[in-house]
Amino acid sequence: MYISVAASGANATISAVAGSRHVASPAPGKPRHSVIKTEKQRRESAVEKTSFPTGGLTLKHYIQQSLELITASDGGGPPRWFSPLECGARMKDSPLLLYLPGLIGVGLGLILQHERLGKIFDIWCLHIPIRDRTSFTDLVKQVEDTVRSEYSGKPNRPIYLVGESFGGCLALAVAALNNDIDLKLILANPATSFTKSQLQLQTLLPSSIMFPHRLNSSFLDVLNLLSGTTSKMVATTMRKQLSLEQVIGEISQDTCTFLSPYLSVLSDVLTVKMLVWKLRMVKSAAAFANSRLHAVKAEALILISGQDHLLPSREEGERLSQLLPKCDIRIFNDCGHTLFLEEGINLVSILVGASFYRRGKCLDYVSDYLPPSPSEFQKVYEPLRWIEVATNPVMLSTMESGKIVRNLAGIPSEGPVLFVGYHMMLGLELIPLVSRIWMERNILLRGIAHPLMFTKLKEGNLPDLSAFDTFRVMGAVPVSAPNLYKLFSSKSHVLLYPGGMREALHRKGEEYKLFWPEEAEFVKMAARFGAKIIPFGSVGEDDIGQLLLDYDDLRSIPYLKAAMEDLTNETVKLRSDAGGEVSNQEIHLPIILPKVPGRFYFFFGKPIETEGRRQELKNKEKCDMLYLEVKKDVEKCIGYLQEKRKNDPYRNILARLAYQAVHGFDSEIPTFPL
């Protein structure tokens, strides 16, 4: 496939991509290519759309397209922007994403991410031709001009700079010089640690060497390492579970078929002098960026590979997170230097999990949320699937007629719907609850969650925010009246636990006891949007663990009492002005003795209609009556399950395993009769 890239002056302002699609008709026997051109050019530069194959893109596509792009720009020319054609169908008001590449400068480092990213970003990739000798300061100026031009046209949307390796230095430099612009930095293994890396010139080039005209085998090894392709191919081949001889054979074949032509083209166009020049530019880029870190005020998300053999990225990530004022970090222990080419890396999921994607000046947890795709859900679900396997949940729901059924058919498909229930110890019911409703009904529950999952007032002993990425990927939002309002406005299915942390961290003997506030916090809001309220109960926490040390026990120990107070001061306090037990929200971790796993049970009561009752429920007395009705229904659901589970012959995991051994491990395990 031939790839056409529009050139622009090194210091030119890049125009916006707007528009119509033009498909060129190739001459007979020649490959077809597609280009999207700008409808309005503010200056003489342009961003061109280039066509790449969509669906199932792999590392092989990266190599093939890199070969074509390197060959197409072999004549030189200044750096230029291009936007892959598959990135054209994006959401309204999508922010601009500028991808800044690593040392080689091809600009295809996000190719495995293009299709998903292209739905939520306006993506421009910087291509730096192999023979180009634009200085680092000129590259900074070019990116800066682009940023300023685009921001002046759409000042209410942020601009994302995704810098990989060398591109990370470029992103930091631009951010340091443009604090008046709303920039968000995504830095993948940034080369700011270059002086501590294995790529130092004195390591690669002994002083006695004379520069040959073409690259020798040792430099091919360096390029091979830089591309990250061999380690990727080894990992992919090893996952096929072949014999050692077959693995070696496949690696050799893949290397010969795909990697060798890539390196061969590089060796034809990239001399040792050019590579040395590029390495020296990385060194100067690192020095430039490091000297200006104090001036960077933009939000930054640093993505670090645990197996980066080119740069000491793990140590560098920790250093940068201490120096940048608004910085978060994510570590991927099994990944190499070229992070975005690693299988299983999904940048969209990373951004959602880190609450790092927004389309306006401020993050909106409702409108900016991106639901997971089926594959993304599976990636979240698989590591936690053992909980569902161990507890084998029983799901019951109630039809509008009042009939109880052994499935989730009673749950309304159309929102807004508010699920109101009981919070088990440590919220252990959340995983089977959310996953079952997703898998059986294709409904995503948007949980109302404690602020500690989203922000910390100060650093301390609370888990890092990355520990809660899974909850954010699955749609959790911080508890607040505006967020509940927005969820109902968007006709969402919302999950609410009025008892909150007090219920999830209850004391001994308080199992299945509700700790709800006195005020009817959610009833008026539900009535305003005509939301159906579904009361539900869940039991089974006493089947899997016994509470040994609760809040009272821990607080009686002076050291632990002080530790709990410190933990509580690290996050936003809720209901501090409320009366009663529900206001006691101190954070602590109770000590639980695990049992041989029993079973979880969920019972969703009959939906309570609020449609047409908005005026009626403005009356405080009637509102309170409905609130108490919901609470009573939740208690009834819990009581029903506690009584019925006594007749479940498969309540114990050993009985369930015996049943599956006879009927197959995919068979549905019976429970009590209705």
Side-chain angles (χ1 to χ4, degrees):
M1 179 182 295
Y2 175 79
I3 298 178
S4 176
V5 181
S8 61
N11 296 319
T13 300
I14 309 303
S15 64
V17 178
S20 59
R21 182 171 302 182
H22 303 277
V23 180
S25 299
K30 291 194 175 183
R32 186 182 187 89
H33 65 281
S34 302
V35 177
I36 292 181
K37 295 184 178 180
T38 58
E39 291 178 349
K40 182 181 180 181
Q41 294 185 334
R42 287 190 294 272
R43 296 191 185 179
E44 296 180 349
S45 56
V47 178
E48 263 194 49
K49 287 276 184 179
T50 58
S51 174
F52 299 113
T54 60
L57 289 173
T58 66
L59 185 67
K60 294 178 181 179
H61 290 110
Y62 166 74
I63 295 173
Q64 292 167 349
Q65 302 306 326
S66 294
L67 285 172
E68 296 176 7
L69 194 51
I70 290 171
T71 302
S73 61
D74 188 24
R80 71 289 305 264
W81 298 100
F82 71 91
S83 184
L85 189 61
E86 64 266 24
C87 297
R90 57 184 178 270
M91 295 189 306
K92 182 181 179 181
D93 298 325
S94 293
L96 177 65
L97 184 152
L98 301 179
Y99 172 67
L100 310 176
L103 176 66
I104 301 301
V106 177
L108 290 176
L110 290 178
I111 189 170
L112 305 190
Q113 317 286 330
H114 281 168
E115 192 166 1
R116 187 80 166 100
L117 284 175
K119 296 177 181 179
I120 63 172
F121 284 110
D122 180 7
I123 300 179
W124 298 5
C125 304
L126 182 64
H127 173 68
I128 307 173
I130 291 289
R131 300 182 190 276
D132 178 69
R133 292 251 181 156
T134 301
S135 68
F136 178 72
T137 53
D138 284 342
L139 284 176
V140 171
K141 184 65 167 61
Q142 176 170 342
V143 177
E144 184 180 19
D145 286 348
T146 302
V147 165
R148 288 202 163 276
S149 174
E150 292 306 309
Y151 192 69
S152 65
K154 296 184 178 179
N156 292 321
R157 70 171 182 175
I159 295 179
Y160 283 72
L161 300 182
V162 180
E164 189 171 18
S165 190
F166 165 75
C169 298
L170 187 53
L172 285 167
V174 172
L177 299 172
N178 295 275
N179 282 318
D180 57 324
I181 294 179
D182 185 8
L183 295 176
K184 291 179 74 71
L185 309 181
I186 302 172
L187 311 175
N189 300 317
T192 45
S193 62
F194 181 79
T195 56
K196 304 172 185 176
S197 75
Q198 299 299 313
L199 292 178
Q200 288 298 286
L201 298 182
Q202 59 267 29
T203 302
L204 297 176
L205 298 175
S207 57
S208 59
I209 190 173
M210 295 296 292
F211 293 153
H213 180 62
R214 300 294 179 194
L215 292 176
N216 56 31
S217 60
S218 64
F219 277 95
L220 289 179
D221 291 338
V222 171
L223 289 177
N224 181 14
L225 186 61
L226 287 174
S227 66
T229 51
T230 296
S231 60
K232 183 73 176 178
M233 290 178 177
V234 171
T236 302
T237 306
M238 289 295 286
R239 277 191 288 271
K240 297 179 181 178
Q241 298 182 343
L242 305 175
S243 67
L244 180 60
E245 292 79 7
Q246 289 173 314
V247 169
I248 295 174
E250 288 221 3
I251 293 172
S252 177
Q253 181 180 4
D254 281 346
T255 301
C256 292
T257 304
F258 298 100
L259 186 57
S260 294
Y262 178 47
L263 296 179
S264 177
V265 169
L266 284 180
S267 67
D268 286 340
V269 299
L270 184 59
T271 64
V272 172
K273 280 187 176 181
M274 179 60 71
L275 180 57
V276 171
W277 185 85
K278 283 182 173 291
L279 291 174
R280 285 176 174 157
M281 185 168 72
V282 177
K283 186 176 182 179
S284 66
F288 187 101
N290 280 315
S291 67
R292 291 164 175 79
L293 288 178
H294 65 280
V296 177
K297 307 302 179 186
E299 297 174 89
L301 178 63
I302 304 178
L303 309 180
I304 297 301
S305 295
Q307 300 297 321
D308 188 347
H309 300 303
L310 291 181
L311 300 170
S313 292
R314 186 182 291 270
E315 295 80 3
E316 185 65 6
E318 295 294 339
R319 183 182 78 92
L320 290 177
S321 67
Q322 299 297 319
L323 295 175
L324 300 178
K326 293 182 285 187
C327 179
D328 208 350
I329 186 170
R330 296 294 183 273
I331 299 176
F332 305 88
N333 290 318
D334 299 326
C335 294
H337 182 69
T338 51
L339 178 64
F340 298 131
L341 294 179
E342 293 280 349
E343 185 177 344
I345 294 297
N346 186 317
L347 185 53
V348 172
S349 288
I350 294 170
L351 296 181
V352 175
S355 297
F356 205 71
Y357 178 78
R358 59 179 168 87
R359 286 177 287 174
K361 287 187 174 296
C362 298
L363 173 64
D364 187 318
Y365 286 98
V366 178
S367 63
D368 287 332
Y369 174 66
L370 308 168
S373 65
S375 61
E376 289 166 348
F377 167 77
Q378 283 300 322
K379 185 176 180 182
V380 169
Y381 172 66
E382 281 303 322
L384 303 171
R385 186 173 178 269
W386 65 271
I387 297 177
E388 185 161 345
V389 171
T391 60
N392 194 251
V394 173
M395 297 280 180
L396 308 175
S397 64
T398 309
M399 307 299 290
E400 290 188 3
S401 63
K403 180 183 178 181
I404 300 174
V405 294
R406 204 185 304 277
N407 51 47
L408 298 175
I411 293 177
S413 299
E414 299 297 326
V417 177
L418 178 64
F419 293 79
V420 183
Y422 164 73
H423 223 352
M424 281 190 192
M425 176 63 69
L426 302 180
L428 296 174
E429 80 285 354
L430 277 170
I431 293 168
L433 172 65
V434 173
S435 61
R436 278 293 185 92
I437 293 178
W438 170 282
M439 292 187 290
E440 292 187 22
R441 295 298 311 277
N442 196 31
I443 292 172
L444 177 64
L445 283 186
R446 303 296 306 275
I448 303 295
H450 195 283
L452 67 83
M453 296 184 180
F454 302 88
T455 185
K456 295 172 70 174
L457 298 180
K458 60 180 181 179
E459 289 301 320
N461 295 320
L462 277 178
D464 189 81
L465 291 179
S466 62
F468 304 107
D469 283 5
T470 296
F471 294 91
R472 292 189 289 267
V473 168
M474 292 305 298
V477 302
V479 57
S480 72
N483 282 338
L484 188 59
Y485 180 95
K486 293 174 184 176
L487 287 171
F488 283 151
S489 298
S490 62
K491 300 185 182 301
S492 300
H493 287 69
V494 184
L495 176 61
L496 174 67
Y497 293 105
M501 184 175 291
R502 176 61 182 87
E503 207 166 81
L505 296 177
H506 55 249
R507 325 293 193 243
K508 295 174 184 175
E510 294 180 346
E511 296 85 357
Y512 310 121
K513 181 179 179 181
L514 302 187
F515 291 92
W516 287 20
E518 296 177 359
E519 296 296 324
E521 297 176 324
F522 57 83
V523 172
K524 287 184 180 179
M525 188 78 76
R528 180 170 186 171
F529 293 91
K532 293 182 176 69
I533 300 176
I534 299 184
F536 73 94
S538 53
V539 304
E541 63 171 280
D542 53 336
D543 274 350
I544 63 172
Q546 178 182 347
L547 188 57
L548 290 183
L549 296 178
D550 63 9
Y551 171 80
D552 295 328
D553 297 324
L554 297 174
R555 194 167 177 79
S556 65
I557 303 172
Y559 172 78
L560 295 180
K561 177 183 177 181
M564 285 192 293
E565 292 173 352
D566 289 341
L567 285 177
T568 304
N569 291 331
E570 290 177 26
T571 188
V572 178
K573 294 181 178 65
L574 295 178
R575 294 170 173 164
S576 57
D577 56 346
E581 280 292 322
V582 75
S583 65
N584 189 342
Q585 298 285 329
E586 278 196 312
I587 300 172
H588 66 284
L589 187 63
I591 307 301
I592 300 174
L593 176 65
K595 294 181 179 179
V596 175
R599 202 170 191 181
F600 279 176
Y601 303 84
F602 295 85
F603 179 28
F604 299 91
K606 183 179 178 180
I608 299 173
E609 293 282 355
T610 65
E611 182 70 40
R613 302 180 64 183
R614 179 175 178 179
Q615 292 300 322
E616 172 192 350
L617 293 175
K618 284 184 177 180
N619 180 283
K620 186 178 186 306
E621 183 177 348
K622 292 185 177 181
C623 184
D624 289 343
M625 287 178 62
L626 181 57
Y627 180 72
L628 292 176
E629 178 187 343
V630 175
K631 184 177 181 181
K632 185 177 180 180
D633 283 354
V634 172
E635 291 172 332
K636 284 182 178 179
C637 290
I638 294 173
Y640 177 89
L641 292 174
Q642 285 179 300
E643 186 63 30
K644 283 289 188 178
R645 69 173 173 173
K646 295 176 183 177
N647 300 318
D648 186 356
Y650 301 102
R651 181 174 170 181
N652 187 280
I653 191 173
L654 299 178
R656 297 198 297 273
L657 290 174
Y659 181 91
Q660 289 179 317
V662 175
H663 297 86
F665 285 94
D666 292 330
S667 59
E668 183 177 351
I669 301 173
T671 185
F672 53 77
L674 295 179

